């Protein structure tokens, strides 16, 4: 047998899921799968958390995802709410202000600032406490496949040589230079934005001129982004000019040049900001997540957010296929739901980039003037500052009938009072499907809930502040079927008798056949909770 030939599947170690990459996306995916009883092996090139800051902002939807992964309170403790986003002109005068609430739709501040190494340590600590997860650090994945239909062979090297691991599914969370993307034959679609910027992270007790939010300087000669990240932590981003200017000269509009106190440059590095989407996000049982699937310019702070949304969307579906024998076609909805959403977010980021730079062609000055005028239109700033997560497009798991209906949107997460204690809604509903009803459920709705193995919960029993009843009423719904990721699959219209399209989506979710893991998955698995 030659080195490139695979050993028989029953003679090599198996794992239900192998995750390539132990960044925030990969570890969150592992934790989400573990909460549904799916064991994972996470393979990571580095042995320790990368120590320097990268992502610094997230939104309330992603905080809810971290809650689902079991680290919501820990993340809240290391993050700080931000007031929103301001657009400044070249003289740093405010052109528009997009305020963000400290009480978002998902139960968290709409924008939070954080230090990525701190988040990664929180996630790694949770991983180490989870018996269903094993982290293997200091390894290099060299091949995935060649067969990706499952079981899938993953080949990696460590200090002891080369190893093979067989998996029922592989999640490629291995970044922009993804080996997994190459393994499934995916290529980048270029969305035509590419600029070189320098990113500067500073720690100082200086009196920095700032507000508790993000500033975007819309200056074609010196576009910049500035934000306060922590108590004494700040970040600046500047598009590179013809010369590499000293840091103190770049930050002079914010920090007085005469300041001679503490000023530590934690990191100064250059990035090429790109806008790209992979043309395909999975091949068989191999999936792309995060930067392996999409690259987003950072101007609206949605790069990491998009990757964590990928993890939440995919993991409940994968668990249902592996654990409950759901139809394989359920996994196809991952790309069909997430790809349009990721493309939308990237286009918003590109639009913000153009607003900041104005471009370099002859119409640049006209565009900047139009932007300044548009920012003065009443209500525009409020509309532009709304949730960056639009409704999912219609599909097998989103039964949209009206453009502004509830289907495809997220259920809000208020605080509720159940079983004698105050909790967030998702903690009470659990990790599965739920039917929320405006009144006591009808017999037909109760029968459907029983058939799907889910609960039908009247919102009156949850004793919230009225948010859920108002949400159903505004959506003209007597009931809403929530997916595990809290997206509304379908509604019972006000005055209706029940869900109308169950024959379309129920077969994807409810089945009497058993799952089909590899027969030696259990006995050959080498999973353990200790990280190494």
């Amino acid at each position: 047998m030659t080195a490139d030939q695979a050993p028989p599947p029953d003679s090599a170690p198996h794992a239900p899921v192998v995750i390539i990459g132990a960044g925030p996306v990969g570890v969150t995916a592992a934790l989400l799968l573990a909460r549904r009883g799916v064991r994972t092996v996470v393979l990571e090139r580095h042995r320790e958390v990368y120590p320097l800051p990268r992502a610094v902002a997230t939104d309330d939807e992603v905080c809810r995802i971290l809650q689902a992964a079991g680290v919501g309170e820990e993340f809240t403790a290391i993050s700080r709410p931000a007031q929103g986003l301001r657009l400044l002109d070249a003289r740093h005068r405010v052109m528009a202000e997009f305020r963000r609430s400290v009480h978002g739709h998902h139960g968290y501040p709409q924008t939070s600032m954080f230090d990525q190494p701190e988040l990664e340590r929180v996630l790694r600590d949770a991983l180490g406490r989870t018996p269903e997860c094993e982290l293997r650090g200091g390894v290099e994945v060299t091949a995935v496949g060649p067969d990706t239909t499952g079981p899938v062979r993953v080949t990696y090297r460590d200090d002891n040589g080369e190893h093979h691991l067989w998996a029922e599914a592989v999640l490629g969370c291995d970044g922009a230079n993804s080996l997994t993307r190459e393994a499934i034959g995916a290529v980048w679609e270029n969305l035509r934005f590419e600029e070189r910027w320098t990113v500067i992270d500073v720690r100082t007790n200086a009196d920095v001129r700032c507000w508790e939010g993000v500033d975007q300087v819309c200056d074609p000669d010196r576009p910049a982004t500035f934000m306060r990240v922590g108590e004494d932590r700040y970040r600046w981003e500047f598009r590179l000019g013809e010369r590499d200017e000293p840091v103190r000269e770049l930050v002079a509009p914010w920090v007085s040049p005469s300041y001679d106190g503490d000023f530590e440059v934690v990191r100064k590095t250059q990035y090429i900001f790109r806008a790209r989407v992979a043309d395909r996000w999975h091949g068989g049982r191999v999936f792309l997540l995060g930067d392996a699937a999409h690259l987003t310019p950072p101007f609206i702070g949605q790069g990491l957010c998009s990757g964590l949304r990928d993890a939440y969307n995919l993991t409940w579906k994968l668990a249902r296929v592996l654990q409950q024998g759901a139809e394989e076609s359920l996994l196809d909805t991952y790309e069909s739901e997430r790809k349009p959403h990721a493309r939308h977010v990237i286009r918003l980021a590109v639009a913000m980039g153009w607003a900041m730079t104005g471009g370099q062609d002859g119409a640049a000055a006209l565009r900047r003037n139009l932007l300044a005028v548009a920012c003065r239109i009443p209500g525009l700033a409020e509309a532009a500052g709304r949730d960056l997560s639009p409704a999912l497009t219609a599909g097998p798991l989103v039964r949209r009938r009206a453009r502004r209906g509830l289907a495809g949107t997220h259920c809000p997460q208020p605080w509720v009072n159940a079983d004698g204690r105050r909790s967030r809604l998702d903690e009470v509903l659990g990790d599965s499907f739920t039917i929320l009803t405006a009144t006591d459920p009808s017999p037909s709705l109760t029968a459907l809930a029983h058939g799907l193995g889910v609960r039908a919960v009247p919102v009156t029993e949850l004793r919230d502040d009225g948010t859920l009843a108002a949400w159903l009423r505004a959506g003209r719904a007597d009931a809403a079927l929530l997916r595990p990721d809290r997206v509304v699959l379908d509604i019972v219209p006000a005055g209706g008798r029940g869900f109308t399209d169950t024959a379309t989506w129920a077969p994807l979710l409810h089945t009497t056949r058993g799952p089909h893991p590899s027969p030696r998955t259990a006995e050959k698995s080498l999973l353990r909770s200790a990280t190494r």
Side-chain angles (χ1 to χ4, degrees), residues 57 120 123 370 445:
E120 293 202 40
L123 291 168
L370 290 174
L445 201 58

Side-chain angles (χ1 to χ4, degrees), residues 122-204:
V122 164
L123 291 168
R124 292 279 187 97
D125 288 346
L127 197 74
R129 298 190 301 266
T130 306
E132 295 85 357
C133 304
E134 178 191 354
L135 172 62
R136 300 183 186 179
V139 307
E140 180 184 2
V141 176
T142 58
V144 176
D147 183 10
T148 62
T149 57
V152 181
R153 185 186 67 179
V154 178
T155 305
Y156 68 93
R157 284 196 300 261
D158 62 14
D159 294 341
N160 298 316
E162 186 173 84
H163 308 273
H164 300 292
L165 186 61
W166 292 84
E168 300 304 317
V170 176
L171 309 189
C173 307
D174 46 349
N177 298 317
S178 170
L179 176 146
T180 315
R181 188 176 59 249
E182 295 179 6
I184 67 170
V187 297
W188 284 126
E189 176 189 351
N190 192 339
L191 299 183
R192 291 185 285 183
F193 184 93
E194 186 168 310
E195 291 186 345
R196 188 178 295 275
W197 286 57
T198 186
V199 178
I200 303 167
D201 287 282
V202 168
R203 180 176 284 112
T204 180

